Amino acid sequence: MEKQCILNDADKYPQTYPKEWLETQWVHIGFGAFHRAHQALLTDELAKQGKTNWGICEVNLRSQQSLMQTLKAQGYRYSVLEKGAQGNELKIVNIINRALHYKIDGCQAIVEQLAAPAIKLVTLTITEKGYGLDPNTGDLDHNNPVIAHDIAYPDTPQSALGLIVEGLRLRMASGYRAFTVLSCDNIQGNGHMVQKAVLALAQLRSSELAQWITEHVTFPCSMVDRIVPAATDDTLKEIATELGGDDPCGIACEPFIQWVIEDDFVAGRPDWDQVGAEFVADVIPYEEMKLRMLNGSHSFLAYLGYLAGYDTIDAAVADKNFALAAKQLMLNEQAPTLAMPAGTDLEGYAESLLERYRNPNLKHRTWQIAMDGSQKLPQRFLKSASILLQKNTPFPHIALGVAGWMRYISAVDEQGNDIDVRDPMASELKKVSDSATTSSDKVRALLDITSIFGDLGENEHFAQAVQTSYERLIAVGAQQAVAELIV
Ligand code: NAI
Ligand code: CS2
């Protein structure tokens, strides 16, 4: 029975297209904040124009059972509130027509859905850590318990990648065509990474399966961008006010949206270019630009901003020194590592990012962005540092960003208060951090974690730069250490 939800009030929110018109042709794994405000929203806009009938089956593997149940109860409809600096726009999304949760529906139901003949596409937004890869090399992490489980029991997989492999195995056995796998997570070369990991898992089952996947499945890379902070009680209240009733599945985000995708789909795709996405032959330059300039500056502002007492990104960039340091990081240390198509205006890009960060209505928490640093550092800071080392170019902002992360994961802030560090490696990081007594031992011990730093940790120049920044950070605090970067 559908719950009495304002979205089901046909007079107030008439359906722009009938649900029955949709056919489930797409499985999305990771029904979190981002997917709701990005891929699902854009596809809904296309359906509203009558240009696609690709319904999405949403899958969640871990938490958020109640979110999935509410989504079903609301007739698979929810709202997105786009919050600009000047005003809001409310949109209702109708494109979902099925939802499965591992803990409610079980493994079999998800595998069957993946193996269903009508499925043409599987997309993922499961966070960087959700893939079970070594953050530095991108190889399958055999020590990850879920990956280890799927290697031992591949018929009843628990990981997203294991489920995809099992779904593809059944398709091969049934003689069905394959589907495209499209990662929409902030991972460098996301398509290549997932391909490598899926093939590694498949190879452990049979060479025949790995070969079939190599020949029949594509893994386009994609660059995704839209700032979608986690929903809070305040945003849900705001959505309820705009909507005229509660929507626990509602999500707020910024108005900006971007999606650059490699056009390599084995079984077709919605024409997302008709709602603003761009199809390109090679997405890597766009991915690197976004990961290093946007996400790199985000992490810089998150660690140092949090330590300096700024709760949100807009509060951090309201501090002139933080805004300038973020811009210097983008233009002096990230932009020179990029190989962009001729005519790309990186200075304009940096300005536009700062403008987006200034949006006072988003309230994007520094604490949220600071999460999972072990999975984020390589693509946001470390690749650039390696390139700059080769060019003999100093990188004081990246070094302070890494030092900020080291200070943050010690789990005690500058006032002596506990920090709630969320990271799959949080306890290991804390142990390593606590085991050292001097600053230099601490930096050294953290740089020795190869799954994050790889060979870079052994580079003397890199270690020296991080060491200097870390000592400065301890001596003068985040506020002053950032101010000292301003040239
Ligand atoms: P979220 O926390 O709202 O949702 C995370 C989703 O990943 C949930 O569905 C959760 O069940 C799933 N997940 C988490 N750990 C998992 C695991 N170990 N195995 C399988 N599934 C797992 O986060 P949100 O905002 O949806 O972001 C997800 C990812 O999307 C980010 O990590 C990032 O890579 C990408 N992204 C997010 C943007 C944002 O502004 N929120 C913008 C651009 C990309
Ligand atoms: C953020 C990103 O949480 C984070 O680490 O840097 O989610 C950021 O908001 C998005 O990538 C913007 O597209």
Side-chain angles (χ1 to χ4, degrees):
M1 252 248 307
E2 283 190 358
K3 195 176 146 196
Q4 277 322 310
C5 165
I6 189 74
L7 292 168
N8 294 325
D9 180 338
D11 293 333
K12 198 150 189 221
Y13 295 108
Q15 283 196 25
T16 38
Y17 53 89
K19 205 56 124 182
E20 304 71 50
W21 181 55
L22 297 174
E23 196 190 336
T24 313
Q25 301 181 61
W26 166 3
V27 175
H28 178 78
I29 309 181
F31 184 67
F34 178 54
H35 169 74
R36 274 178 275 166
H38 193 274
Q39 304 91 49
L41 177 91
L42 281 182
T43 313
D44 180 72
E45 284 179 5
L46 202 57
K48 281 180 181 138
Q49 297 173 22
K51 291 177 180 161
T52 190
N53 72 337
W54 282 40
I56 311 176
C57 171
E58 299 295 342
V59 172
N60 262 346
L61 303 181
R62 303 193 144 203
S63 50
Q64 298 171 316
Q65 284 102 311
S66 68
L67 182 75
M68 300 300 261
Q69 282 166 323
T70 308
L71 178 70
K72 274 190 205 174
Q74 296 187 174
Y76 301 104
R77 278 184 284 275
Y78 66 93
S79 50
V80 175
L81 184 64
E82 296 180 344
K83 292 170 58 162
Q86 259 76 46
N88 294 347
E89 188 174 352
L90 186 73
K91 295 180 170 171
I92 311 299
V93 176
N94 187 37
I95 196 73
I96 297 165
N97 63 349
R98 204 173 176 214
L100 296 170
H101 196 289
Y102 199 97
K103 294 195 175 135
I104 301 170
D105 303 284
C107 172
Q108 196 55 30
I110 298 171
V111 167
E112 276 169 19
Q113 179 64 82
L114 288 165
I119 296 304
K120 297 172 177 163
L121 173 67
V122 174
T123 51
L124 298 146
T125 53
I126 52 173
T127 78
E128 295 83 342
K129 64 182 173 299
Y131 292 85
L133 308 177
D134 177 294
N136 185 262
T137 61
D139 292 335
L140 259 190
D141 177 5
H142 289 244
N143 294 321
N144 179 302
V146 186
I147 297 293
H149 170 277
D150 289 2
I151 292 172
Y153 309 100
D155 298 344
T156 52
Q158 294 177 348
S159 73
L161 298 185
L163 285 158
I164 288 174
V165 170
E166 178 61 1
L168 287 168
R169 188 188 68 80
L170 291 172
R171 298 183 83 88
M172 178 181 82
S174 313
Y176 296 153
R177 75 173 157 214
F179 48 63
T180 303
V181 179
L182 178 65
S183 165
C184 298
D185 273 297
N186 283 327
I187 299 178
Q188 181 154 351
N190 47 15
H192 304 315
M193 289 284 208
V194 177
Q195 179 176 35
K196 193 166 82 165
V198 162
L199 285 175
L201 267 185
Q203 185 66 44
L204 292 172
R205 300 198 73 173
S206 77
S207 305
E208 188 201 0
L209 177 60
Q211 187 60 30
W212 188 83
I213 293 176
T214 304
E215 284 168 16
H216 297 280
V217 183
T218 52
F219 298 82
C221 289
S222 81
M223 180 267 245
V224 285
D225 191 7
R226 169 167 259 196
I227 297 173
V228 189
T232 61
D233 288 348
D234 285 346
T235 51
L236 289 178
K237 268 188 211 144
E238 203 179 342
I239 290 171
T241 306
E242 297 260 354
L243 198 62
D246 285 338
D247 175 10
C249 298
I251 193 78
C253 60
E254 65 171 341
F256 180 90
I257 189 160
Q258 191 176 18
W259 197 7
V260 188
I261 318 162
E262 266 167 19
D263 198 1
D264 189 13
F265 291 76
V266 289
R269 51 150 174 87
D271 290 332
W272 292 303
D273 48 334
Q274 299 200 22
V275 282
E278 296 159 75
F279 288 109
V280 297
D282 179 12
V283 87
I284 297 295
Y286 300 93
E287 261 191 353
E288 290 180 343
M289 176 185 80
K290 192 251 169 174
L291 287 170
R292 294 180 197 167
M293 290 183 65
L294 190 161
N295 297 113
S297 64
H298 243 181
S299 288
F300 176 91
L301 292 167
Y303 295 118
L304 295 152
Y306 184 97
L307 293 170
Y310 296 125
D311 235 17
T312 58
I313 289 292
D314 67 299
V317 294
D319 179 322
K320 199 167 79 300
N321 289 332
F322 274 72
L324 262 173
K327 187 170 172 187
Q328 289 178 175
L329 163 67
M330 291 190 227
L331 292 177
N332 302 346
E333 297 178 25
Q334 305 283 28
T337 68
L338 301 172
M340 301 306 297
T344 309
D345 174 12
L346 292 178
E347 210 163 321
Y349 184 60
E351 276 303 340
S352 70
L353 294 180
L354 285 169
E355 200 47 44
R356 288 166 63 193
Y357 296 171
R358 284 189 199 106
N359 184 337
N361 298 322
L362 272 185
K363 303 286 170 238
H364 199 188
R365 293 181 69 193
T366 46
W367 175 80
Q368 187 191 342
I369 300 166
M371 266 183 215
D372 295 347
S374 65
Q375 316 291 303
K376 294 175 175 173
L377 252 50
Q379 61 274 31
R380 296 183 182 208
F381 289 145
L382 307 182
K383 188 75 209 286
S384 298
S386 302
I387 296 171
L388 295 174
L389 278 166
Q390 277 165 21
K391 294 178 172 213
N392 242 334
T393 307
F395 47 89
H397 299 75
I398 292 179
L400 186 61
V402 174
W405 169 78
M406 290 179 167
R407 180 75 185 77
Y408 181 89
I409 55 89
S410 74
V412 180
D413 73 11
E414 291 180 354
Q415 283 69 45
N417 301 315
D418 288 347
I419 305 175
D420 178 9
V421 177
R422 302 279 175 95
D423 192 297
M425 292 177 71
S427 52
E428 178 184 345
L429 294 172
K430 173 102 180 93
K431 211 159 119 197
V432 171
S433 173
D434 287 353
S435 67
T437 42
T438 66
S439 288
S440 62
D441 285 353
K442 193 166 288 209
V443 170
R444 184 65 268 150
L446 288 165
L447 289 178
D448 283 342
I449 304 178
T450 49
S451 64
I452 301 175
F453 292 98
D455 294 343
L456 188 62
E458 287 165 26
N459 183 297
E460 259 179 61
H461 298 289
F462 180 72
Q464 190 51 55
V466 175
Q467 179 70 47
T468 307
S469 299
Y470 188 81
E471 267 159 23
R472 214 52 213 139
L473 189 57
I474 298 297
V476 300
Q479 191 88 51
Q480 179 61 22
V482 169
E484 290 175 2
L485 287 173
I486 306 307
V487 288

